[in-house]
Amino acid sequence: ILQLLYSFWSTWPIMKGIFLLLLTLLLCIYHLDAFLSNPYHPRTRTLQSFNFQAHADDGKLGMEDIVWKLRPPHGTGLWKRITLRFASNAVRVDSMLKGVDPPFCLCPKGGQAVLEAHIQKGGKIGKFGISTLRGPPAPEINDSVEELFGIELAGRSVFSGALIYMFIEPEYRKKGVGELALEVISVIHAVQGCDVTLLVADDDGSGKLVKWYEEHGFKQAPKLQDMLGSPNGKFGVTMIGGTNQQISPACKLKWW
């Protein structure tokens, strides 16, 4: 049977073309359901954008020093990771055939993703858990935006994303990696149609982490403590910051 199939495959080149065409179609059909759509183009934001000023001075890394990789969350099975890889390359091939640039960012379906920071010689130096689905509007978020940012929403709804955790390798802390990550995460959330990024800052009551986030555009949002699962500050201080649709041209974000 194998010999017959091989003979059939060798004798009928047209079947090879049909097989490859079907494989391409299957990959294209899959990639349509592999990633979240991002139909949100630059528009007037509900909140002012925050431009993070992180530069490669005083020993700090710059955006050009880091490659950002958007990965499915921990616990994603091997088969899912393999099919996502096929799907992402199908998107890139499709963009190449159409003569257009591939999307800046595609988030894998599932609601969460991990943003990894890599440098050429040091490998992975940080990872950041983020939500990829925009959260539904909530009165607590709208009230916080109006009070903290002095914006009259006039009935408009505010949509949110979340920064779940941040981890930076000890030897790369205080080198600007966190600031750069906030900039990339802000753009990813903006692409997904989020107006704000929410987080819970847990610094064991020292106030240092809260101050650091405040220096980068976030504000304490006490009305969100219960909503974000940290009543009375049990797990940290809830904070809110506006998303940003502009990113440095030096940013290298890989989602494949």
Side-chain angles (χ1 to χ4, degrees), residues 61 63 66-74 107-108 111-119 123-132 162-169 172-186 188-189 197 199 209 212-213 253:
L61 297 174
M63 191 66 80
I66 299 177
V67 175
W68 305 94
K69 299 182 180 181
L70 197 56
R71 298 289 186 244
H74 298 298
C107 296
Q112 295 183 15
V114 177
L115 179 68
E116 298 177 349
H118 293 253
I119 59 175
K124 183 168 66 176
I125 62 173
K127 56 183 179 180
F128 312 88
I130 61 173
S131 68
T132 54
L163 171 55
I164 304 169
Y165 68 83
M166 296 180 67
F167 175 79
I168 300 172
E169 294 294 341
Y172 287 97
R173 294 172 186 174
K174 297 184 179 181
K175 291 184 177 293
V177 179
E179 292 94 323
L180 295 171
L182 287 180
E183 183 175 353
V184 178
I185 292 168
S186 179
I188 292 173
H189 281 161
T197 296
L199 60 88
L209 184 58
W212 182 82
Y213 278 116
L253 177 61

Side-chain angles (χ1 to χ4, degrees), residues 72-141:
H74 298 298
T76 302
L78 178 61
W79 174 246
K80 178 68 172 179
R81 290 179 180 273
I82 291 174
T83 51
L84 277 171
R85 180 63 61 87
F86 273 105
S88 62
N89 281 287
V91 176
R92 296 172 67 200
V93 170
D94 182 58
S95 299
M96 181 181 67
L97 293 175
K98 292 178 179 177
V100 298
D101 292 330
F104 170 76
C105 166
L106 281 183
C107 296
K109 284 189 173 180
Q112 295 183 15
V114 177
L115 179 68
E116 298 177 349
H118 293 253
I119 59 175
Q120 186 173 2
K121 295 183 179 180
K124 183 168 66 176
I125 62 173
K127 56 183 179 180
F128 312 88
I130 61 173
S131 68
T132 54
L133 286 173
R134 67 175 188 170
E140 296 90 344
I141 298 177

